[in-house]
Amino acid sequence: MKISVLSKKLWCVHKQLLLLLTPLLFLPLLLTLPEKEGKCLYVVILMATFWCTEALPLAVTAMLPVCLFPTLGILPAKTVCPQYFIETNFLFFSGLVMASSIEEWGLHRRIAMKVLSIVGVKPAWLILGMMITSSFLSMWLSNTATTAMMLPIANAILESLFGDLETLKQKCKSPEGHDSAVINGQTSLKLHSLPSEASEKQTLSMDGMDAVEHTDMRTTEEIRSESQYQLKVWKGFLICIPYAASIGGTATLTGTAPNLILIGQLKRLCFAKHDHRAQAEARAIALIKEDYRKLGPMNFAEGAISFFFILFAVLLFTRDPKFVPGWSVFFKKGYVSDAVTGVIIVSILFFFPSQKPSLSWWFDPQAVNTPYVPLLSWKKAQDSVPWNIILLLGGGFAMAKACE
């Protein structure tokens, strides 16, 4: 059998081979190291290997401590299982629920349009603006919750600039789909800003509320090249958010170690200007401002979500800021934590009305009897929260507990 054929067959079953061979490969750890230390290291290496290779789904690997630690005599089940929903996970859950409520009422799109109108559409400034925002939020929220909250906003910004992601991917492979890219939301503009080639000949014009793409004299290769450039901007835009959250997290107790990738990111950003790109960016800014104007004034639900989000951040920061006494001094010492704050705020979202209450409604027999709709429903929260990530965090905490 040829080597190429054999390698393809091995690749088809590489995950199964990893599941079978990895436990056998590291089996000597159980025989050469002290009993408990060796067993713990054995499980840690297995989990690390399965996580890195995704031989098992990440959430399934995260649940391995529940079966391996008790059976190997490392930790009892009553010690392992509570690690999957400790205080930190509740804080993380609160941030995710808050993010789902922001997305539910479209507040993330309003924020996206405002950010775009302020920082412009140059990739360098967009990324810098998003990183500053993520870093600031991460000072008050956990890094993971901040990332989960910023991703809907980032996606709204990117869709406003480049259209649907799947359409953009198709254009990278098949430029014939060029004409099918449209902005999601309230505008019908075919927006192709931020070109990567100096031969850009596309023109955009605005006629009242609509903008129409008149001509596109570019070659097939130029369209593909521009689409690939935009896809790279998309990837960089999303990657910058967790990096910035790690940096901003150094200001809080719930943050992780700083990640100094920001310096390297800024050094690699391109600030080159071209006349054709400047013209396209100017038109894009005008259209973004028009999009923001079309959103109209902030409605009651958006205002309520904004208020609770700001309240969430303020309460997290003022609970125990260390340099001055926080509001936690009014409670029994050590009893109130950030998780308590988060659960209180998100619990309010499940019953706070999304429409402005009116006393006159009770006394007006002609008033429309619409059903009561809270800011957030449990179904929406259940669908939006990535429970597999909560299990993933729990598996990490269980591993840390065993190592300890």
Side-chain angles (χ1 to χ4, degrees), residues 67-377:
C67 57
L68 294 181
F69 286 161
T71 55
L72 292 177
I74 301 171
L75 283 179
K78 65 180 181 180
T79 303
V80 176
C81 293
Q83 304 302 316
Y84 284 81
F85 232 92
I86 63 174
E87 175 191 341
T88 304
N89 269 353
F90 266 106
L91 179 59
F92 172 60
F93 171 77
S94 301
L96 293 176
V97 172
M98 180 68 71
S100 66
S101 65
I102 290 175
E103 188 174 6
E104 172 74 7
W105 295 101
L107 182 61
H108 65 296
R109 179 169 177 80
R110 182 179 295 275
I111 297 173
M113 293 294 101
K114 193 64 177 177
V115 170
L116 279 174
S117 63
I118 293 174
V119 303
V121 295
K122 292 182 184 294
W125 288 110
L126 272 177
I127 291 175
L128 182 61
M130 188 56 62
M131 293 184 77
I132 291 174
T133 306
S134 301
S135 299
F136 179 76
L137 291 178
S138 187
M139 294 178 184
W140 331 111
L141 303 178
S142 69
N143 295 349
T144 314
T146 298
T147 302
M149 188 173 295
M150 291 301 296
L151 284 178
I153 298 173
N155 281 324
I157 292 175
L158 291 166
E159 288 175 0
S160 296
L161 286 175
F162 305 134
D164 183 71
L165 177 59
E166 293 303 319
T167 303
L168 184 60
K169 288 181 178 179
Q170 289 299 322
K171 287 166 62 181
C172 291
K173 302 175 183 178
S174 177
E176 286 75 12
H178 172 71
D179 291 335
S180 64
V182 296
I183 285 186
N184 295 340
Q186 300 182 7
T187 180
S188 61
L189 167 72
K190 294 182 177 69
L191 178 62
H192 304 280
S193 61
L194 308 183
S196 60
E197 298 294 331
S199 58
E200 172 67 42
K201 298 178 182 178
Q202 177 185 17
T203 60
L204 298 174
S205 67
M206 295 182 60
D207 182 12
M209 301 294 288
D210 297 323
V212 182
E213 182 181 9
H214 289 296
T215 58
D216 190 347
M217 303 298 294
R218 295 172 297 170
T219 65
T220 298
E221 185 58 35
E222 287 174 334
I223 295 175
R224 182 187 292 111
S225 178
E226 178 186 337
S227 300
Q228 291 173 346
Y229 170 77
Q230 292 175 352
L231 189 61
K232 290 179 181 179
V233 173
W234 194 301
K235 293 177 181 178
F237 201 69
L238 296 183
I239 290 173
C240 79
I241 293 175
Y243 282 159
S246 296
I247 295 169
T250 59
T252 65
L253 294 176
T254 56
T256 56
N259 191 335
L260 299 180
I261 197 65
L262 174 63
I263 297 175
Q265 290 280 0
L266 292 178
K267 287 180 178 179
R268 287 193 294 268
L269 292 175
C270 177
F271 288 89
K273 296 183 178 180
H274 300 286
D275 291 340
H276 71 280
R277 184 175 297 180
Q279 294 171 3
E281 289 166 356
R283 290 189 292 269
I285 285 292
L287 292 166
I288 288 166
K289 291 181 178 179
E290 179 67 15
D291 268 357
Y292 186 77
R293 190 192 64 80
K294 289 179 181 179
L295 292 176
M298 183 177 290
N299 59 36
F300 180 81
E302 290 177 326
I305 290 294
S306 301
F307 169 77
F308 285 118
F309 174 67
I310 294 172
L311 180 63
F312 187 22
V314 171
L315 289 178
L316 287 179
F317 175 69
T318 58
R319 181 184 65 83
D320 187 18
K322 301 301 181 183
F323 56 89
V324 293
W327 56 264
S328 61
V329 298
F330 297 107
F331 301 91
K332 196 169 182 178
K333 187 176 181 180
Y335 275 61
V336 178
S337 66
D338 289 337
V340 176
T341 305
V343 172
I344 289 174
I345 295 297
V346 299
S347 296
I348 296 174
L349 300 179
F350 289 102
F351 66 83
F352 197 88
S354 59
Q355 300 293 330
K356 186 176 181 180
S358 174
L359 288 176
S360 62
W361 176 82
W362 291 95
F363 305 102
D364 184 4
Q366 304 298 325
V368 179
N369 297 323
T370 56
Y372 173 80
V373 179
L375 286 175
L376 187 63
S377 65

Side-chain angles (χ1 to χ4, degrees), residues 35-54:
E35 183 180 6
K36 276 202 170 184
E37 290 86 341
K39 290 179 179 179
C40 183
L41 180 60
Y42 180 72
V43 175
V44 169
I45 291 178
L46 283 184
M47 293 179 65
T49 303
F50 293 162
W51 268 334
C52 292
T53 60
E54 295 190 44

Side-chain angles (χ1 to χ4, degrees), residues 8-53:
K8 289 180 180 179
K9 291 185 177 295
L10 288 176
W11 179 252
C12 291
V13 295
H14 74 281
K15 291 187 176 180
Q16 289 76 11
L17 292 176
L18 282 169
L19 290 174
L20 293 175
L21 297 179
T22 303
L24 297 176
L25 180 63
F26 294 102
L27 198 60
L29 292 175
L30 301 177
L31 306 175
T32 57
L33 294 177
E35 183 180 6
K36 276 202 170 184
E37 290 86 341
K39 290 179 179 179
C40 183
L41 180 60
Y42 180 72
V43 175
V44 169
I45 291 178
L46 283 184
M47 293 179 65
T49 303
F50 293 162
W51 268 334
C52 292
T53 60

